Amino acid sequence: MHSFTYTANPGRILFGFGKLEALGEEIRAAGMTRVLLLSTPQQVDQVQALSDTLGDLSAGVFSDARMHTPAEVTEQALKYLKSVGADGIVSLGGGSTIGLGKALALRTNLGQIVIPTTYAGSEMTPILGETADGVKRTLRSEKVLPETVIYDVDLTMTLPAAMSGLSGMNAVAHAIEALYCREANPVTSLIAAEGVRALTEALPRIAKDPADRAARSDALYGAWLCGTCLGTVGMALHHKLCHALGGAFDLPHAATHTIVLPHALAYTAPAIPEVMARLRETLNTDDPARRLYEIGCEIGAPEGLKALEMPEEGIARVVDLSLENPYWNPRPLDREGLTLLLEDAFHGRPPSQH
């Protein structure tokens, strides 16, 4: 056994059906008296209803969370938070809402309770990605790690099948990179493999039957595990490419991750034979990168970055951004290989090794 370092992040987890009923109790247990509830515009009715049930525990609702956590939106939310005198943050939603909650926690040191309604997994990480002037930058800080996460499977039952698949594959990307990132360790690898297994088995079932309660529970369980991986180790090429794409072209976060993941894995595969052997077992396939691509097809993912309206000439810009400030990767980054990778991802072709 090689030497390693494993750091477990603190946090309280509630998992199961009907767990949202415990929110008021969790707010009081955390020492909060007036919480600001956050959501996207699409979930404002849901979060407003939750605010109504909390009564005096709710200081108000800010429902303008956006993808990639734009700095200007954070400033608007911060101003509102101060105006209502909130002493805690409750985020209901997916990565956009959770990102805003983290950005506020970074600036205020207030505690957070997160209620995920997708499978993105960012609720388990001390990582925040913020966008300003067309560039998305990430930071790692214990100040942005939520103190409590409530996983209520009931809240995911109405998540559209297409969105379920994309957010789930976003979570899978966290675990895939956790297997080969610089900080990889045996404990995280066990969690990662189980998270990949749970999600990749559940997502095609949800695509066929969105009301499958067992599949929904398995997917949320997998998302928790995959998020835990991202919260305890670092990132590599896949996340660098997705951050560059999202910041430069405002592409939808989960769809971008779903499209890029098979290609980033195929690029790195020659340098990680042991990881590929593990993924062959986990995914029950001879070609893990191709299987991830096939799952994308099964869940109805967009056919390439061009389907997200990314301009083809933007490929060169993303390559430049990736090389200017590269993340560590087992296979070193080279311009030609990254260009071919992104061309495959752009056109929606199956992954190939370059």
Side-chain angles (χ1 to χ4, degrees):
M1 175 63 67
H2 64 279
S3 62
F4 66 91
T5 300
Y6 172 71
T7 302
N9 289 319
R12 176 173 167 81
I13 308 298
L14 284 73
F15 185 97
F17 291 90
K19 290 297 182 179
L20 188 60
E21 296 177 2
L23 178 58
E25 180 181 341
E26 291 297 316
I27 291 173
R28 295 185 184 93
M32 304 172 184
T33 61
R34 286 174 54 80
V35 297
L36 176 64
L37 287 90
L38 306 176
S39 78
T40 60
Q42 293 77 22
Q43 291 185 284
V44 61
D45 291 342
Q46 188 177 13
V47 79
Q48 187 60 59
L50 183 59
S51 174
D52 293 342
T53 66
L54 291 176
D56 291 341
L57 287 174
S58 173
V61 169
F62 183 88
S63 60
D64 201 28
R66 305 285 177 175
M67 283 193 310
H68 308 303
T69 320
E72 61 270 21
V73 173
T74 299
E75 291 305 313
Q76 295 168 11
L78 181 60
K79 182 177 180 180
Y80 182 69
L81 182 150
K82 292 179 178 178
S83 73
V84 298
D87 62 3
I89 300 164
V90 173
S91 302
L92 177 90
S96 297
T97 303
I98 296 168
L100 176 58
K102 289 180 172 183
L104 292 175
L106 180 68
R107 291 160 172 79
T108 64
N109 285 320
L110 293 180
Q112 302 173 78
I113 296 176
V114 175
I115 308 164
T117 60
T118 71
Y119 306 129
S122 62
E123 65 277 356
M124 292 306 300
T125 77
I127 299 169
L128 169 64
E130 294 186 284
T131 301
D133 301 322
V135 178
K136 188 169 186 177
R137 296 179 174 86
T138 60
L139 61 85
R140 194 179 190 96
S141 170
E142 294 299 319
K143 292 172 67 175
V144 308
L145 182 68
E147 285 75 13
T148 302
V149 180
I150 299 176
Y151 288 105
D152 189 332
V153 183
D154 286 320
L155 296 178
T156 67
M157 293 302 300
T158 57
L159 185 67
M163 189 179 298
S164 299
L166 295 176
S167 67
M169 290 302 288
N170 180 23
V172 169
H174 303 334
I176 294 287
E177 285 212 323
L179 291 168
Y180 62 75
C181 68
R182 184 160 44 190
E183 301 85 359
N185 62 78
V187 179
T188 300
S189 293
L190 285 170
I191 297 171
E194 174 65 359
V196 170
R197 182 206 61 77
L199 267 167
T200 55
E201 290 181 2
L203 295 178
R205 290 156 56 200
I206 292 172
K208 293 178 180 178
D209 179 11
D212 185 333
R213 291 174 66 81
R216 290 288 188 178
S217 183
D218 289 348
L220 195 58
Y221 162 70
W224 166 48
L225 294 176
C226 292
T228 299
C229 294
L230 183 61
T232 56
V233 297
M235 296 174 284
L237 171 62
H238 168 80
H239 279 82
K240 179 61 182 182
L241 291 172
C242 291
H243 290 162
L245 287 161
F249 303 108
D250 197 31
L251 302 185
H253 184 82
T256 302
H257 277 268
T258 302
I259 294 167
V260 171
L261 177 59
H263 305 282
L265 180 61
Y267 177 94
T268 305
I272 51 171
E274 292 182 1
V275 170
M276 296 306 292
R278 188 167 201 160
L279 285 173
R280 282 192 285 273
E281 181 179 354
T282 299
L283 295 170
N284 192 27
T285 180
D286 292 331
D287 189 343
R290 179 64 182 244
R291 179 59 190 144
L292 292 172
Y293 174 83
E294 291 171 350
I295 292 173
C297 296
E298 291 172 20
I299 65 173
E303 295 183 5
L305 296 172
K306 65 178 180 181
L308 305 182
E309 300 184 358
M310 172 192 166
E312 187 168 7
E313 59 270 21
I315 290 175
R317 181 180 177 191
V318 174
V319 172
D320 287 342
L321 289 170
S322 300
L323 293 174
E324 284 173 8
N325 184 26
Y327 292 177
W328 180 88
N329 198 65
R331 176 183 170 183
L333 309 188
D334 69 84
R335 184 173 297 277
E336 181 181 2
L338 292 182
T339 300
L340 293 173
L341 181 165
L342 287 166
E343 287 176 348
D344 283 346
F346 179 83
H347 292 286
R349 295 190 287 254
S352 56
Q353 294 185 6
H354 304 291

